Amino acid sequence: MRLTILGSSGTYSTPGHPTSGYLLQDEGTSVWLDTGSGSFAALQNVIDFNSLDALVITHVHADHCIDVLGFYHAVRYGGRPETIIPAHVPAGLAERLKAFLGDPDHSIAKTLDFRVHGEGDRVQIGGIEFRFAITDHPVPTLGVRATAQSGRVLAYSADTGPQGSWSWIAEGANLFLCEATYQGPADEKPWAHHLTAGEAGLIARRVKAQTLMVTHLWPALDPELSVQEAEHTFGKPVMLAVPGMSVKV
Ligand SMILES: [Zn+2]
Ligand SMILES: [Zn+2]
C-alpha cells in the first residue's frame, strides 16, 4: 500500500502547500482521502482523477472537504456526466455540500454516491478495508484505519483532540498519520479539539504504532520543532508529512 501526501497544511493552505489531502493506493485501488483546499490540483499531478475508485472525506471543515466541489465539476462537466463515484463521509456532510451548490438539477449527489459512516463502521474499497472511528472534534469526524490485502495498516487521525476512544484505529499500525496542529504544553494549546505534537507522539506510543508521521501543522509553526516534540514523547524518529512525498506503508 502506498500513501502520497497531496497536502498537509493545518487549517489553511499556503503557497505550494495545500491543506489535508492524501492518495492511498494498493494493488490497483486508488482512494482520495480528504479533499482539502488545493489538494485536487495536487492529485492531478499524481494520477488521472478519472481512475479514482472512491473518496473518503473525514469531515465538513473546508481544509478537509472543499476541493470535492472542483472534482465534481471536473467529472460532471468534463465529459463523464454519467459517472457515479462512492464518497464515504460522516453524518451531515453530504447535506452541507448539496446546500452549498443549491440547484437540485446540478446536485453533487448525481456524481457522488454519499455513504454515511459512524463509529466502528467497516467498508471494503477494492483491495483496501476501511474502518472508522468518531474522533474528538466539534463536527462528526471520521478517524480511519485502512488495511491492505497484505495486512499492512495505515491509520489517519483526521482532526481530533485527545479525548474519546478513537485511537483504537491506530493500534499497532504500520504507519500512523496523526494530526499535530500545535506545539508546546498541551494545557496551553489554543483549542482543545486538536493535538499538540507531543500529544501525537504520546498517543502513537500508547497504541504501539510502528511509525508516526505528523501532519496538519499550523502553517506559521516551525515544522522541525514539531517533529522534535513528537519524537520526544514517541521515543523514536518521526516523519513529517510534506506535499509530494510518497511512502510505502
Ligand atoms: Zn483541519
Ligand atoms: Zn477540523
Side-chain angles (χ1 to χ4, degrees):
M1 188 155 58
R2 177 161 291 279
L3 173 74
T4 301
I5 312 300
L6 307 173
S8 59
S9 186
T11 308
Y12 65 96
S13 52
T14 56
H17 204 152
T19 59
S20 296
Y22 309 94
L23 178 65
L24 194 57
Q25 296 173 293
D26 184 48
E27 308 270 342
T29 301
S30 295
V31 178
W32 184 12
L33 174 58
D34 267 350
T35 61
S37 46
S39 67
F40 184 40
L43 177 85
Q44 293 170 75
N45 276 331
V46 183
I47 61 162
D48 176 357
F49 62 82
N50 291 305
S51 68
L52 286 170
D53 293 284
L55 277 52
V56 174
I57 306 176
T58 63
H59 66 297
V60 75
H61 287 160
D63 60 320
H64 297 258
C65 81
I66 206 68
D67 266 18
V68 74
L69 299 175
F71 171 74
Y72 158 65
H73 285 161
V75 174
R76 183 86 192 276
Y77 306 109
R80 294 201 312 150
E82 305 306 323
T83 301
I84 299 175
I85 297 172
H88 301 274
V89 298
L93 191 144
E95 290 70 23
R96 294 279 284 276
L97 291 172
K98 288 176 203 167
F100 185 90
L101 291 165
D103 184 352
D105 288 337
H106 298 86
S107 172
I108 194 169
K110 290 188 174 177
T111 294
L112 294 177
D113 176 14
F114 289 106
R115 302 178 189 181
V116 177
H117 298 288
E119 179 68 32
D121 283 3
R122 188 189 300 260
V123 66
Q124 189 75 29
I125 303 174
I128 308 174
E129 183 206 67
F130 285 78
R131 292 189 67 198
F132 302 107
I134 297 295
T135 72
D136 172 18
H137 211 50
V139 294
T141 301
L142 299 174
V144 176
R145 182 181 179 91
T147 306
Q149 280 174 314
S150 63
R152 304 284 291 181
V153 171
L154 167 85
Y156 171 44
S157 69
D159 281 4
T160 189
Q163 303 301 318
S165 59
W166 61 269
S167 64
W168 64 262
I169 56 169
E171 289 285 346
N174 298 99
L175 178 60
F176 181 21
L177 178 65
C178 187
E179 79 125 279
T181 306
Y182 303 127
Q183 294 173 346
D187 59 1
E188 293 176 15
K189 64 185 176 183
W191 201 46
H193 303 294
H194 283 306
L195 299 174
T196 64
E199 286 179 309
L202 267 183
I203 293 166
R205 188 170 70 182
R206 196 182 69 223
V207 299
K208 297 185 169 56
Q210 280 184 12
T211 311
L212 171 63
M213 181 187 287
V214 290
T215 189
H216 200 276
L217 277 56
W218 186 262
L221 298 177
D222 171 12
E224 287 310 312
L225 181 58
S226 296
V227 168
Q228 284 172 22
E229 291 187 359
E231 287 180 339
H232 183 71
T233 50
F234 186 44
K236 285 197 279 187
V238 168
M239 299 169 78
L240 174 70
V242 176
M245 169 195 261
S246 187
V247 295
K248 199 161 174 262
V249 176

